[in-house]
Amino acid sequence: MQIRAFRVAASALVLGAILTTPAVRAASPTNYAALSKPRQALVDDLERRTFDWFWDSANPTTGLVPDHYPGESFSSIAAVGFGLTAYGVGAERGYITREQAVERTLATLRFFSDAPQNASEDDASGYHGFYYHFLDMQTGKRFGRWVELSSVDTTLLLGGVLFAQTYYDRDTPAEGEIRELADRIYRRVDWPWMQPRAPLISMGWTPGGQFIPSDWKGYNEGMLVYILALGSPTHPVKPEAWKAWLSTNDTTWGEFHGQTFLNFAPMFGHQYSHVWVDFRGIRDDWNREHDLDYFQNSRRATYSQRNYAIANPGKWTGYGANVWGLTASNGPGGIIVEQGDKTLKFEGYTARGAGLDYISDDGTIAPTAAGGSIAFAPEIVIPALETMKQRYGKSIYGRYGFVDAFNPSFHTRTELRTGRLVPELGWVDTVQLGIDQGPIVLMIENWRSDFVWKVMRRNPYIRNGLEKAGFTGGWLDESVP
């Protein structure tokens, strides 16, 4: 597995009558009940297997979830956030009992509440309420000196923490403790401390290098960072932070492969915040100016990715209407191949994507790019999942659903950093990543039942953060149930 210290952040039309203008229809016509029995079985199976990845991989004593699994791994705090939310899905779906979900959640929150917070290089799990991106699976402390105290990964962890706070609402000692611990963990985060260049929020900090010289600015997964920072009852940032984050949006607003939308090349930027926040029908100032909400924007981004694959400018093997999806994922790994008069570079872990901001495409398909977008555009996502499973399933679909990624264009026999070569297919990963599994299981459930969204609409911190960012309309105008 290629070690990664920091995540990279930073016009063919669809076949048929789905696209009638450069902007897709706002409402999705496909719901679970309308699917054929085989497609319902496909969704059911994928959701259950992806949930099982979190349940089986986590350390039941600490709740730490590995970055990648099977095999040895450090823990990803973002994966823990996805896992905490998945346990609620498991309880609702009957994969586990509510009591099992409570036990695992309580163990996780106790660990993060008690984990050491200080400025040392090696003897801490976090500082100022934030946590290190990667933790040792056994000790729970910073995995290595290359690992940053991460504002966005702490935020993704907090998504799961706040989900737990709201979901476990019964009058029992265990569920009461969950609520208390979740509140303590969230209230402890010192958001203004992470603003060395206020009003923007820094991407992170290290004891040796201090604050990372990059801030969350422009449309990306940092959306949830600002919402949670604004919503804090103890250490909030000022409302101008949201305006500063929005300030460069128009540089990536435009048409890309038949869709006009706010671009961010990898699909995870269109998915992560949406796992916990229902952006349907709520709008901030930027939304109102451009007459669409962020959910509609992600829907357009999903279609754009599919259109890009249909056009296939890189002439990669397998791309088409039902095989598509670029996002942060593993890949064959830092290998340059001479092929005729072309030089092809195949990356390891990187933020693949296609948009106005950049194109990073080496033929590697990540099923989560489609699967995590099921709530946005099920009518094109489900056929893609179905086709990829039918065409390559023997090699890319197993105990925990889809592997992280595969590349039908890579056939070079060489020493691989991760994955394996499959005859007549190409490179196939042998693990799943928590940050890619999370959007699959959670967005399937949001599409099926609005489950996570319904829970989070009741969370006062989410609501407060959205309102301070200037969001109005939709469910925000309704009273809390």
Side-chain angles (χ1 to χ4, degrees), residues 1-2 316 319 326-327 329-337 344-350 352 361-366 404-422 425-430:
M1 172 70 61
Q2 183 180 12
W316 299 108
Y319 280 30
L326 303 177
T327 194
S329 72
N330 282 337
I335 298 168
I336 295 176
V337 176
L344 305 177
K345 184 178 181 181
F346 296 91
E347 302 286 353
Y349 181 90
T350 193
R352 295 172 178 82
D361 180 15
D362 63 356
T364 301
I365 296 291
D404 185 57
F406 63 98
N407 190 321
S409 297
F410 185 89
H411 299 276
T412 303
R413 294 192 175 277
T414 185
E415 184 176 346
L416 296 169
R417 298 180 185 179
T418 185
R420 63 193 177 105
L421 277 182
V422 175
L425 194 167
W427 176 85
V428 174
D429 208 354
T430 51

Side-chain angles (χ1 to χ4, degrees), residues 29 71 172 174 214 253 282 306 364 396 423:
T172 66
S214 298
W253 167 260
I282 65 173
R306 181 179 184 250
T364 301
I396 71 169

